[in-house]
Amino acid sequence: MRILVLGGTVFLGHAVAAEAVRRGHDVICAARGTSGGIPDGATLAPVDRDQGLGALAGERFDAVVDVARNYRWVREALHVLSAKAGHWTFVSTINAYADTRTTRQSTDAPLQEPITDSDDVSTPESYGGVKVACENAVRAEVGDRAFVLRPGLITGPNDTSDRFGYWPARLARGGRVLVPDERDHPAQHADVRDLANWILDAAANGSTGTFDGSSPVMPLGTLLKEIAEAVAPPGTELVAVPPEDLTEAGVQPWMGPKSLPLWLPQSWQGLVSRDISPSLDAGLRIRPIAETALATLETERELGLDRERRAGLTPAEEAELLANLPHRTW
């Protein structure tokens, strides 16, 4: 197949392009080329999407993969490319859903209101609204050629978000590891390589529709213990602190300074407890946590384990919390 990846230099787009090359496809990455390099074996088509995709006008592609979070970019790509493109993947987001609390929802759940007049994606709501508008544009233009994917937390090699990666990096240091005392807190993720495989399988098979892109739900306690089994040295202890004490001490959920990634308030746990049985039926396969943890740890080491992080606790913050808050060992 001749495959166009709109992007292809960072994380999911790069993983799709790399896997497509590995499978023997003719891969073109349309990007400025300033955010990172394209995979070996792919061809760079230098474009700035703020300036349009006129350089690709008239080109034919068997499959197009777009990961954009900008409505104008998506509309432009459809205008220039859709008439001579085959299968069309648009990568949306789990933040497209309006109800963040209710668990076990599927893709027919209510969505955020579409946003077509703003490029602001700084909040989950605005990000979700822009992506909903993009989804609508894709379906209106390419119809039954559209494969719309709504990933949750994407993990694995080359993840620079510092969220999932915090846990392999921290557990690999060993010792007493602070965790939220919520064993049954739901958790979902998707290894970037598994999403790339599914996107390319869908293009090859002509699979279409709208799907969530996450693993089956598992308890947070189970996920953390599986990561620990993969990367932690002997003697590592998971030390659980009650969530109300963490909140009172100023620990943030999910991301940001002084945070505990993967931990969410109940009002947001619907986004990590999706019913993904339709996705599994449609071909999504999620690898064991250990594989994702080990690959993520390699990336963490490349980035620098002692770097200033965008998510997680510093060693000093963790030590202070363990010294001053009630806790128990799992």
Side-chain angles (χ1 to χ4, degrees), residues 152-292:
L153 178 64
I154 306 178
T155 60
N158 301 315
D159 174 16
T160 61
S161 74
D162 288 350
R163 287 174 292 185
F164 182 88
Y166 170 78
W167 292 109
R170 174 62 193 91
L171 287 160
R173 293 206 325 263
R176 302 171 75 237
V177 180
L178 189 153
V179 300
D181 197 0
E182 291 197 83
R183 283 178 186 266
D184 295 329
H185 184 301
Q188 286 181 300
H189 79 108
D191 190 298
V192 66
R193 296 165 294 181
D194 297 331
L195 293 180
N197 282 330
W198 192 27
I199 288 169
L200 292 168
D201 289 346
N205 300 331
S207 300
T208 58
T210 300
F211 300 94
D212 290 337
S214 290
S215 64
V217 182
M218 69 170 60
L220 180 59
T222 300
L223 183 146
L224 294 178
K225 287 199 169 186
E226 290 192 12
I227 295 174
E229 288 172 2
V231 305
T236 300
E237 293 183 337
L238 301 185
V239 183
V241 174
E244 59 272 18
D245 292 308
L246 292 172
T247 299
E248 188 173 344
V251 178
Q252 304 299 315
W254 195 253
M255 63 184 295
K258 197 178 181 180
S259 65
L260 278 178
L262 309 189
W263 173 49
L264 283 168
Q266 192 171 28
S267 59
W268 285 89
Q269 290 180 17
L271 296 185
V272 289
S273 53
R274 307 289 306 173
D275 174 11
I276 57 92
S277 53
S279 302
L280 298 177
D281 291 343
L284 174 62
R285 297 293 177 265
I286 299 292
R287 68 192 63 214
I289 284 289
E291 290 186 24
T292 300

Side-chain angles (χ1 to χ4, degrees), residues 132 240 257 316:
V132 169

Side-chain angles (χ1 to χ4, degrees), residues 51-181:
Q51 305 302 318
L53 296 174
L56 297 173
E59 296 277 357
R60 292 183 178 274
F61 301 99
D62 299 300
V64 174
V65 179
D66 193 0
V67 300
R69 53 176 66 191
N70 181 304
Y71 177 73
R72 293 179 296 104
W73 288 5
V74 170
R75 290 287 302 167
E76 166 74 5
L78 291 164
H79 174 72
V80 172
L81 301 168
S82 64
K84 295 188 176 182
H87 191 268
W88 193 288
T89 293
F90 178 69
V91 179
S92 185
T93 173
I94 209 79
N95 291 114
Y97 296 108
D99 181 356
T100 62
R101 179 184 291 270
T102 304
T103 62
R104 301 293 178 174
Q105 295 184 90
S106 191
T107 53
D108 57 356
L111 301 177
Q112 301 280 1
E113 288 297 318
I115 297 173
T116 61
D117 60 351
S118 174
D119 296 338
D120 177 23
V121 291
S122 61
T123 68
E125 295 81 7
S126 62
Y127 178 42
V130 169
K131 284 287 197 175
V132 169
C134 294
E135 289 185 20
N136 292 343
V138 169
R139 292 192 196 92
E141 188 69 30
V142 302
D144 60 5
R145 290 180 283 146
F147 181 72
V148 176
L149 178 59
R150 295 172 181 155
L153 178 64
I154 306 178
T155 60
N158 301 315
D159 174 16
T160 61
S161 74
D162 288 350
R163 287 174 292 185
F164 182 88
Y166 170 78
W167 292 109
R170 174 62 193 91
L171 287 160
R173 293 206 325 263
R176 302 171 75 237
V177 180
L178 189 153
V179 300
D181 197 0

